[in-house]
Amino acid sequence: DAMVIQNPRYQVTQFGKPVTLSCSQTLNHNVMYWYQQKSSQAPKLLFHYYDKDFNNEADTPDNFQSRRPNTSFCFLDIRSPGLGDAAMYLCATSGDGYTEAFFGQGTRLTVV
Amino acid sequence: AQTVTQSQPEMSVQEAETVTLSCTYDTSENNYYLFWYKQPPSRQMILVIRQEAYKQQNATENRFSVNFQKAAKSFSLKISDSQLGDTAMYFCAFKAAGNKLTFGGGTRVLVKP
């Protein structure tokens, strides 16, 4: 089945140690999103790609970076994770324009 | 910038009854889509229903229906014949040109047996 896959499902990292989360899709969608979701809160958009065009949200910390080497894959890099970065990270994809987004199962990041 | 507001942090409903979730939004766009997403305790976000702004007819998907009032910028979700599996967080979301998908704060729905 076509889908959005996030790896790993759970990630534990040390304070200050760089970590990378990955997302892949088989939907061939132009748009890929990264959201941060803390407990019982709405997903907060960090950035999104339209093809290779990167769109950063104004309030996304510089600590968060992203790469999209091809249509299928997108990575979220956290350069120096702090305790406040512990959250669920959601990847989503959509077609161009007014279409709905499809979400992966998320990666729960713990910072110790 | 678009904003989406859900004024009800939590709602509870008896099984088989109906519950309505509120959503308002603010935009200067004329063309856009609105969505309701469900996030069960397992956490994967799934689409419940969508509404195109240019369509006057309210969308319906089985037990889920919306009341879309474009002039009032209101987009409520009605869940009829509630089932235990409807227990989840529900998020209202907005998407216009530019591909940015913006979420409201969410409403937690608890269906009681």
Side-chain angles (χ1 to χ4, degrees), chain A residues 88-100:
Chain A
M88 178 73 82
Y89 289 87
L90 302 175
C91 174
T93 74
S94 76
D96 190 15
Y98 307 107
T99 56
E100 67 265 30

Side-chain angles (χ1 to χ4, degrees), chain B residues 53-70:
Chain B
Y54 63 85
K55 287 188 177 179
Q56 291 187 329
Q57 185 174 6
N58 289 322
T60 299
E61 288 287 342
N62 300 313
R63 298 181 295 106
F64 298 88
S65 61
V66 299
N67 183 2
F68 173 49
Q69 301 291 327
K70 190 173 183 179

Side-chain angles (χ1 to χ4, degrees), chain A residues 33 35 57 97-98 100-101, chain B residues 33 37 50 95 99-101:
Chain A
Y33 305 87
Y35 287 89
E57 292 300 297
Y98 307 107
E100 67 265 30
Chain B
Y33 267 43
Y37 280 89
R50 69 176 184 178
K95 190 181 187 193
N99 295 304
K100 182 173 175 177
L101 181 64

Side-chain angles (χ1 to χ4, degrees), chain A residues 17-108:
Chain A
K17 184 175 181 181
V19 64
T20 295
L21 310 182
S22 71
C23 178
S24 64
Q25 57 135 339
T26 60
L27 297 161
N28 203 34
H29 281 164
N30 300 90
V31 188
M32 293 189 78
Y33 305 87
W34 279 106
Y35 287 89
Q36 179 192 65
Q37 187 180 28
K38 297 190 175 180
S39 183
S40 300
Q41 296 183 19
K44 177 182 180 298
L45 182 63
L46 297 174
F47 23 63
H48 74 277
Y49 280 91
Y50 175 72
D51 290 331
K52 285 198 174 270
D53 183 21
F54 178 69
N55 298 273
N56 196 30
E57 292 300 297
D59 58 354
T60 297
D62 292 340
N63 198 26
F64 292 86
Q65 305 286 320
S66 185
R67 296 169 283 135
R68 189 179 186 186
N70 53 52
T71 300
S72 301
F73 286 89
C74 195
F75 300 97
L76 171 61
D77 301 308
I78 308 177
R79 294 192 296 188
S80 181
L83 297 179
D85 297 328
M88 178 73 82
Y89 289 87
L90 302 175
C91 174
T93 74
S94 76
D96 190 15
Y98 307 107
T99 56
E100 67 265 30
F102 294 82
F103 284 80
Q105 290 189 295
T107 295
R108 179 169 295 284

